[in-house]
Amino acid sequence: MTGDTFAMSQEIVELQTRVAELSVALERVTEQRDNAVDAAESLHTELEVTKNHLREAHATVSRLRVYIAQGVEL
């Protein structure tokens, strides 16, 4: 019985160590996920700004084409 108790105690210690390792790994993965989400949100914001800039540039080019077609001097 004593041998069984010792073996069980060793197994409990090993399992506790494994749980601690997994907890640390989970914290790292959670931090990486949060960083990835922040980066994605930042890129999305940058993409929207770029889209707006392109819309404005397209509108300007369109106006310039109309002026050129009308023979307006710039």
Side-chain angles (χ1 to χ4, degrees):
M1 190 77 152
T2 306
D4 290 340
T5 304
F6 179 75
M8 285 176 36
S9 294
Q10 285 299 105
E11 187 174 353
I12 288 171
V13 169
E14 290 173 10
L15 290 172
Q16 287 173 334
T17 300
R18 185 67 181 138
V19 166
E21 291 169 349
L22 289 172
S23 293
V24 169
L26 178 61
E27 286 177 29
R28 287 185 192 146
V29 168
T30 301
E31 182 179 347
Q32 289 173 350
R33 182 213 52 208
D34 292 346
N35 290 341
V37 167
D38 290 344
E41 289 172 351
S42 176
L43 286 171
H44 180 72
T45 299
E46 188 176 335
L47 175 63
E48 291 302 313
V49 168
T50 302
K51 286 164 102 177
N52 288 334
H53 183 70
L54 284 173
R55 269 190 224 101
E56 292 171 7
H58 179 71
T60 300
V61 168
S62 293
R63 282 193 304 277
L64 288 172
R65 284 183 179 153
V66 168
Y67 293 155
I68 290 170
Q70 294 173 347
V72 175
E73 283 195 35
L74 301 177

